[in-house]
Amino acid sequence: PSVPLGPAKGGRRAGAKGPGPKVRGAAWRGRHGPTVLLYHRIADLDSDPLGLAVSPAHFAEHLDVLRDRGVIGLAEAAAGAPGIAVTFDDGYADNLVLRDAGIPVTLFVTTGAVEGGHGFWWDAIDRVCRERAGERIHVEDRAFVLGPVARAHLHQWLQPRDPRDIDAVLQALGALDGDRPLTLDELRELAGHVEIGAHTRTHRSLRHATTAEQRAEIERSRDDLAQWLGRAPAAFSYPFGVPGDAFDATAKRLVREAGFTCAVANAPESSADRFAIPRHTAPDVDGEGFARWLDALG
């Protein structure tokens, strides 16, 4: 990222345009207990159909707002303390800038991606549909004309499938890797600045896996992080995160049995279940817009 994340005079960052957001002095009070935010990437992307990225310039302004409102750790939020907690999912390499964030952050890492150094399948699908738009292809019993409609269909089709099936489809498409995840050395460096949580081994949609497969995904990601970082993670994030669709009561039970103390979902609905903590996806807006969005939540 071209924009530094450390504090800047007047609440602005180099490269940000327009007047600074007027957000000072608006301390967070939270009418409904904790508010947990979800981010994935800090990057300027040519294509972001899933809305995963917040630009570095905007994230720098988000940090101004968050530092002013006050941020708590995820463990405090799980215990019901009022405040804002910040989380990131997946473990993209651009998350390395979080070492300079200066606020509590929990980063949930897909450990197989870190170990293998390969990108995420949804980025590969987006890339092939953009770079070869208009090309007609056949995969298994389906035919597609590559482009935005095919991208949406492929994502929906692949999301519940076994990772080996997804890999086979990517190979059949000739889909190249997307942006890389953190390396193991980068993860270890980042672990000195943020809390690291588990996000399964392969980012598998757990509800569509057998109980044994779910247990392996959950426990192997826990064990990877314990081996790499010298301590077992306390928190877990369900891939894709929609309650009832991406995970269910079986997954929550297995997460508890694996020794995690809390787990987060990708849904904003209020819940007192510490193994399905709701989160709100942060928008890619400037600081002023972000402050207004937060106020509407709180």
Side-chain angles (χ1 to χ4, degrees):
S2 60
V3 181
L5 297 184
K9 293 181 181 179
R12 296 298 286 166
R13 299 302 195 280
K17 298 179 180 179
K22 297 178 181 179
V23 297
R24 296 295 177 189
W28 182 260
R29 292 294 179 265
R31 295 188 299 270
H32 306 294
T35 296
V36 183
L37 305 185
L38 167 60
Y39 293 86
H40 291 84
R41 305 196 61 181
I42 308 168
D44 289 310
L45 301 179
D46 293 332
S47 175
D48 187 19
L50 299 178
L52 299 183
V54 171
S55 74
H58 284 165
F59 187 66
E61 295 190 8
H62 289 200
L63 287 175
D64 273 343
V65 177
L66 291 168
R67 293 188 189 105
D68 194 61
R69 304 295 175 90
V71 178
I72 62 174
L74 183 60
E76 296 172 87
I84 303 169
V86 175
T87 68
F88 276 71
D89 276 7
D90 299 334
Y92 281 94
D94 52 62
N95 292 176
L96 189 60
V97 299
L98 291 172
R99 62 191 168 192
D100 301 319
I103 61 170
V105 174
T106 299
L107 169 61
F108 293 102
V109 176
T110 305
T111 59
V114 171
E115 184 177 70
H118 54 78
F120 297 99
W121 64 263
W122 50 87
D123 293 329
I125 290 294
D126 178 50
R127 181 176 176 181
V128 74
C129 285
R130 286 186 293 114
E131 294 182 351
R132 291 162 50 193
E135 180 180 336
R136 185 175 181 87
I137 54 94
H138 293 267
V139 181
E140 295 184 4
D141 60 346
R142 303 184 181 218
F144 303 95
V145 175
L146 295 178
V149 174
R151 184 209 61 77
H153 184 89
L154 283 162
H155 188 276
Q156 183 179 24
W157 179 46
L158 293 177
Q159 181 173 311
R161 299 190 65 176
D162 185 296
R164 292 166 295 190
D165 294 340
I166 295 174
D167 287 344
V169 170
L170 293 181
Q171 290 179 18
L173 288 172
L176 301 176
D177 240 359
D179 294 341
R180 71 173 179 85
L182 294 160
T183 67
L184 183 51
D185 285 342
E186 289 170 340
L187 176 63
R188 286 173 172 149
E189 178 185 355
L190 196 50
H193 304 273
V194 305
E195 188 70 23
I196 304 297
H199 197 37
T200 72
R201 174 83 180 164
T202 68
H203 205 283
R204 185 165 190 183
S205 182
L206 292 175
R207 192 182 71 81
H208 299 92
T210 68
T211 299
E213 289 167 338
Q214 291 186 57
R215 180 179 289 109
E217 287 278 354
I218 293 164
E219 294 183 356
R220 286 191 65 193
S221 65
R222 175 203 63 193
D223 294 345
D224 286 342
L225 293 174
Q227 179 182 352
W228 297 342
L229 305 178
R231 60 187 181 279
F236 184 86
S237 173
Y238 304 100
F240 306 109
V242 179
D245 179 64
F247 72 96
D248 57 16
T250 298
K252 291 197 292 183
R253 173 178 60 82
L254 294 171
V255 169
R256 287 195 301 271
E257 291 175 355
F260 292 95
T261 61
C262 65
V264 293
N266 292 18
E269 289 79 8
S270 179
S271 171
D273 185 350
R274 66 184 296 122
F275 286 94
I277 298 169
R279 292 187 293 177
H280 301 266
T281 301
D284 185 18
V285 295
D286 65 12
E288 188 172 352
F290 180 63
R292 289 196 301 267
W293 178 78
L294 273 180
D295 290 341
L297 293 181

